[in-house]
Amino acid sequence: MSVLGAILAGGKATRFGSDKALAILDGRPLIDHVASSLSAQCDACIVVGRMQDGYHCVSDRPALDMGPLAGLAGALAYALDAGFSHVLSLGVDAPGIQRDLRAMLEPAPAYVVNQPVIGYWPVTALGLIDEILASDERHSMLHFIERLGARGVVLDNPPANINTQADLENLERPS
């Protein structure tokens, strides 16, 4: 089994007010924090939905601005073409994942209950996403999860979910 790590980074960050991927936490951009965490648990990593120097990047599928489900579709399509069996997905705004996240989400398909962008997906799920995105159905992660029958996992120590500048500032404050 080979696992591709996918950083979903195609959002517009309207609540955040600037590019979340490049927001600085502890002296490093968020995207670097997430990539470091994913690389420790996956055979390779990609960034989906944006171009980012220093990373292998792929596009959302079938088009940009279709939300995280299109980002996951892009990741799964790349994984399928490159011979990976699974994708571990994580949003660019969720630094600080557990070192055993992949093990906690096995077997696939599974997702983190409070952050459904964080999930462990077999590449065979691509057909269902393509079907949903080509239809009038809701194009949401939760709808996909429901249709797929993915298992929800509650983490004891969930990663941050940075949606606003205040969320980032709260992480920077010492506890």
Side-chain angles (χ1 to χ4, degrees):
M1 175 173 26
S2 57
V3 179
L4 177 68
I7 303 168
L8 304 184
K12 293 182 180 178
T14 52
R15 288 180 286 173
F16 192 75
S18 63
D19 188 345
K20 276 199 260 186
L22 300 181
I24 302 298
L25 174 65
D26 297 331
R28 296 172 44 213
L30 285 178
I31 197 167
D32 291 349
H33 285 277
V34 174
S36 177
S37 297
L38 270 180
S39 293
Q41 299 185 50
C42 300
D43 299 300
C45 285
I46 60 171
V47 172
V48 186
R50 70 178 288 132
M51 297 305 297
Q52 185 66 43
D53 288 342
Y55 293 95
H56 184 82
C57 302
V58 300
S59 293
D60 289 352
R61 175 185 162 153
L64 296 175
D65 298 328
M66 292 185 72
L69 194 56
L72 183 56
L76 288 169
Y78 177 85
L80 184 63
D81 289 346
F84 291 92
S85 61
H86 291 79
V87 168
L88 180 61
S89 64
L90 188 64
V92 74
D93 57 356
I97 62 170
Q98 295 177 217
R99 292 175 191 208
D100 60 346
L101 176 66
R102 179 174 144 192
M104 293 189 74
L105 293 175
E106 289 179 335
Y111 68 100
V112 173
V113 169
N114 293 330
Q115 296 180 40
V117 168
I118 302 172
Y120 190 51
W121 317 104
V123 295
T124 55
L126 178 59
L128 177 58
I129 293 178
D130 284 345
E131 177 185 317
I132 291 170
L133 291 173
S135 76
D136 291 335
E137 296 179 56
R138 289 178 295 132
H139 294 178
S140 72
M141 289 295 293
L142 290 176
H143 180 67
F144 161 67
I145 286 165
E146 181 181 292
R147 291 265 323 263
L148 185 63
R151 178 176 49 85
V153 175
V154 176
L155 300 179
D156 293 334
N157 186 23
N161 185 7
I162 300 171
N163 289 309
T164 66
Q165 290 285 339
D167 294 338
L168 181 62
E169 290 165 10
N170 287 336
L171 278 180
E172 292 176 330
R173 291 190 189 118
S175 337

